[in-house]
Amino acid sequence: METLLCSQKPPLHAPQIPPTSEPNTSPILNPTAKQTPTHDPKSWKLQANAKGFAGRSPAKGRPKKPETTVRHRTSEDDDEIPKEVFYRIIKRILVSVGVPMALGLLSLQIFGVIIEQKLWDVPRWVPILATLLTFGSSTIGLAYGALSASLDPEKKGSVLGLEEAQQNWAEMWRDDEERKKR
């Protein structure tokens, strides 16, 4: 925390202790003794550069070029993903993850109200099972959202994306088999 507050620290050596008539009085042991600061507090500067965050600032005045494609950089032979396809994948992932998660949170709230109002003595396994099913389907929705999007920029695809998911699943396994053969 001290690094965030000030960048200058007092020296590690003890200050010169003037001779006194009493041998046990020193400014270090006696807090009421007058102590002079070694540095002027007005010259202290805040330091908030943590490792990894002190990178270069973006060049000012230089216009950014618009991104039309998103590059997947895991290997040299991967193709570029068009911007429309990328946004389509993101939308499908958000829906296929968000809807089951929202239903799971809503079911927990409903079970909480039912228990508080004493409408039904809900067994403990019912909310646990509901949470497991909704959050589990939310986890599966991540993969399904990515696989169910049409990879053709001109073709929008179906609402549920079942045909696209079957095509993309087969293509994914075919690519994996080709990589293993190399």
Side-chain angles (χ1 to χ4, degrees), residues 147-150 155 157-158 161-169:
L147 286 173
S148 66
S150 173
K155 184 180 175 188
S158 65
L162 294 175
E163 299 85 19
E164 290 84 5
Q166 289 174 349
Q167 291 171 356
N168 293 340
W169 183 263

Side-chain angles (χ1 to χ4, degrees), residues 67-80:
E67 292 185 20
T68 56
T69 59
V70 177
R71 176 93 174 132
H72 184 70
R73 296 184 175 127
T74 57
S75 67
E76 298 129 11
D77 60 342
D78 282 345
D79 296 331
E80 291 184 5

Side-chain angles (χ1 to χ4, degrees), residues 1-181:
M1 191 65 165
E2 290 179 12
T3 58
L4 292 176
L5 296 178
C6 66
S7 64
Q8 298 176 354
K9 291 188 176 188
L12 295 176
H13 67 279
Q16 295 290 335
I17 301 172
T20 59
S21 59
E22 298 176 35
N24 289 336
T25 59
S26 72
I28 296 173
L29 299 176
N30 187 0
T32 59
K34 183 180 177 185
Q35 296 178 357
T36 58
T38 57
H39 297 289
D40 184 21
K42 293 179 183 176
S43 67
W44 294 350
K45 297 178 183 175
L46 291 177
Q47 298 290 321
N49 292 336
K51 185 176 182 180
F53 292 98
R56 289 181 262 156
S57 62
K60 295 180 181 175
R62 188 171 57 180
K64 291 183 178 180
K65 65 178 187 177
E67 292 185 20
T68 56
T69 59
V70 177
R71 176 93 174 132
H72 184 70
R73 296 184 175 127
T74 57
S75 67
E76 298 129 11
D77 60 342
D78 282 345
D79 296 331
E80 291 184 5
I81 300 174
K83 191 176 182 179
E84 300 86 22
V85 174
F86 179 74
Y87 289 140
R88 189 178 304 141
I89 291 171
I90 295 297
K91 286 177 191 174
R92 286 195 180 257
I93 288 175
L94 288 175
V95 169
S96 62
V97 169
V99 170
M101 188 174 292
L103 288 174
L105 293 173
L106 182 67
S107 70
L108 287 177
Q109 290 294 324
I110 290 171
F111 285 127
V113 169
I114 289 173
I115 291 172
E116 283 179 4
Q117 300 294 326
K118 297 181 182 176
L119 299 173
W120 178 40
D121 188 22
V122 180
R124 287 185 184 236
W125 61 268
V126 173
I128 292 172
L129 183 65
T131 304
L132 179 70
L133 289 175
T134 54
F135 289 169
S137 61
S138 176
T139 308
I140 293 170
L142 184 65
Y144 182 75
L147 286 173
S148 66
S150 173
L151 299 180
D152 185 12
E154 289 85 30
K155 184 180 175 188
K156 197 112 167 138
S158 65
V159 175
L160 293 178
L162 294 175
E163 299 85 19
E164 290 84 5
Q166 289 174 349
Q167 291 171 356
N168 293 340
W169 183 263
E171 181 69 27
M172 181 181 69
W173 283 108
R174 194 174 318 127
D175 288 346
D176 190 43
E177 291 296 322
E178 288 176 6
R179 266 191 230 127
K180 284 182 182 178
K181 289 180 182 178

